[in-house]
Amino acid sequence: MSNFEIGTERAAALLKEGRVVAIPTETVYGLAASAFSDSAVAEIYKIKGRPQDNPLIVHVSSLEMMRTAVKEITQQAHALAREFWPGPLTIILPKSDKISKVVTCGLDNVAIRMPSHPVALAIIEKSGLPLAAPSANLSGRPSPTCAAHVRDDLDGKIPLIIDGGMCEVGVESTVITLCSEVPTILRPGIIPLSAILKILPDAQLSHSVDSELQEGEKAESPGMKYKHYSPRAEVVIVKGTLDRFAQYVKERGCGDAYALCFDGEQERIMIPSVAYGPEEEPEQQARELFASLRALDRFGASVVYARCPDTREGGLAVYNRLLRAAGFKVVDL
Ligand code: TXA
Ligand code: MG
């Protein structure tokens, strides 16, 4: 048997026993358990230290399996699935009774995604179970984009981490709800709004994507209200040209201040820095962002000044994650 077969068989066997296993997906690593089992899913929240009101995404390997998880696969859902699945899109629909209420935190709707990573698909298929899986980090930490990140956060807490290499996408899936009046993107991913508009012309972006919830406002997607993706350091997004950025950090630089900049900029910046991809390549930034935030922690950064990514199309996902890492602190030069 190949390593692929041994690993996926072992993961599927544990999942069938109601255990929790870390698995690779094309976006980020997931902490998976059977979406049918209250106790298995409850274990996920406990291991991550996840707030009890933040529901999980259910991962399926086929539309047949999806049918067991939702009331109905609507026309809109079919159209999205045809275009984007398997892949980094999560669709919210009314849930079936079979899905554990612990997955949805008592909500009537469930988030579903068919990942494209061959290891994830094989594990779902072999277990025969829809798998509830949030990102496999401790709650509040940057999402894991390789098995070593999962180990850093969860070593000793789970029976198995399947290593499927570095995640190709690097930021979590685009989340769209089909349960509101118009289809609404609750979390931007690497699939841009423009691609979704081609399939659902009336789709819109939730304003929570790039602005902070007001006090008393209810989150459409509970996950968006938490400070997230954070390194231990304080993060500040700095908008403006490289020249102004370089001047700004030079004035503020001290021992533990770091810059998070684009490739090729490091020699212009007079404080220690970490690069997260070329300025013009949001997909590469997405791939590197979370690993860069984790590296800044390892270096002991106390403050991180981040160059601002493009906020359009694929860049919006990167900006959205950085904004949350920064607790919405943005300086415009
Ligand atoms: O790419 C991804 O989506 C990764 C991989 C593992 O698939 N998973 C992931 O899960 O990012 P998590 O738990 O870190 O984020 C799930 C997001 C949260 O913002 C949560 O609030 C939202 O989806 N969500 C889940 N179910 C929901 C529901 N029924 N209604 C509204 N939002 C929901
Ligand atoms: Mg997460």
Side-chain angles (χ1 to χ4, degrees):
M1 277 213 295
S2 66
N3 282 343
F4 179 94
E5 277 168 60
I6 295 168
T8 53
E9 286 289 346
R10 177 135 162 64
L14 284 164
L15 289 162
K16 283 196 272 191
E17 288 168 19
R19 306 292 300 277
V20 174
V21 173
I23 65 170
T25 85
E26 74 280 19
T27 55
V28 301
Y29 276 69
L31 190 60
S34 165
F36 292 150
S37 164
D38 292 348
S39 58
V41 177
E43 200 58 32
I44 294 178
Y45 288 84
K46 213 166 99 194
I47 293 167
K48 274 188 66 115
R50 185 179 177 97
Q52 302 279 340
D53 63 348
N54 190 8
L56 310 179
I57 294 172
V58 172
H59 298 68
V60 298
S61 57
S62 67
L63 290 182
E64 282 94 273
M65 186 181 272
M66 180 174 178
R67 271 188 204 98
T68 68
V70 298
K71 285 236 153 71
E72 183 198 356
I73 306 180
T74 60
Q75 279 214 339
Q76 288 181 325
H78 264 297
L80 288 173
R82 234 189 334 268
E83 180 72 16
F84 299 111
W85 280 2
L89 179 74
T90 295
I91 304 172
I92 299 180
L93 286 170
K95 79 185 266 296
S96 76
D97 296 333
K98 288 188 77 177
I99 293 294
S100 162
K101 284 197 177 112
V102 186
V103 170
T104 59
C105 304
L107 296 175
D108 294 331
N109 307 322
V110 63
I112 309 272
R113 155 167 132 78
M114 189 188 294
S116 65
H117 197 297
V119 173
L121 281 174
I123 291 171
I124 301 167
E125 225 159 73
K126 284 182 181 176
S127 70
L129 294 165
L131 299 179
S135 46
N137 50 291
L138 288 176
S139 203
R141 301 268 302 136
S143 293
T145 53
C146 64
H149 296 164
V150 182
R151 232 174 287 126
D152 286 343
D153 281 13
L154 302 178
D155 197 22
K157 296 185 165 190
I158 50 177
L160 184 63
I161 299 170
I162 299 287
D163 191 340
M166 252 198 70
C167 298
E168 215 179 287
V169 176
V171 292
E172 306 86 343
S173 59
T174 304
V175 176
I176 184 166
T177 180
L178 300 180
C179 300
S180 50
E181 225 158 274
V182 287
T184 305
I185 295 177
L186 304 179
R187 180 175 73 183
I190 210 64
I191 298 174
L193 175 64
S194 61
I196 292 186
L197 285 173
K198 284 193 189 136
I199 310 298
L200 303 180
D202 60 341
Q204 61 173 23
L205 273 180
S206 163
H207 74 277
S208 70
V209 160
D210 58 4
S211 56
E212 200 167 3
L213 278 184
Q214 299 307 303
E215 221 173 78
E217 190 181 357
K218 189 168 171 288
E220 289 169 284
S221 179
M224 287 286 110
K225 75 182 178 209
Y226 295 106
K227 184 168 177 204
H228 234 108
Y229 318 114
S230 311
R232 293 179 194 96
E234 178 193 0
V235 179
V236 182
I237 298 176
V238 183
K239 286 187 175 170
T241 60
L242 174 59
D243 277 343
R244 289 192 178 168
F245 179 89
Q247 185 60 32
Y248 183 85
V249 299
K250 193 171 139 199
E251 284 160 11
R252 281 161 188 78
C254 66
D256 315 332
Y258 276 72
L260 180 61
C261 63
F262 299 120
D263 291 1
E265 297 181 346
Q266 286 174 294
E267 61 187 38
R268 298 277 310 278
I269 295 171
M270 295 300 134
I271 65 172
S273 59
V274 171
Y276 73 108
E279 181 169 12
E280 306 298 333
E281 291 178 36
E283 295 193 350
Q284 190 59 31
Q285 295 162 18
R287 227 168 272 142
E288 294 185 28
L289 178 68
F290 289 140
S292 301
L293 292 177
R294 281 176 182 263
L296 287 160
D297 266 348
R298 276 201 314 280
F299 299 154
S302 60
V303 190
V304 174
Y305 299 107
R307 289 270 282 141
C308 188
D310 195 345
T311 57
R312 291 164 302 173
E313 296 289 270
L316 182 61
V318 178
Y319 181 61
N320 171 274
R321 304 312 187 272
L322 253 186
L323 255 185
R324 278 161 181 79
F328 294 90
K329 278 189 296 293
V330 181
V331 175
D332 203 341
L333 297 180

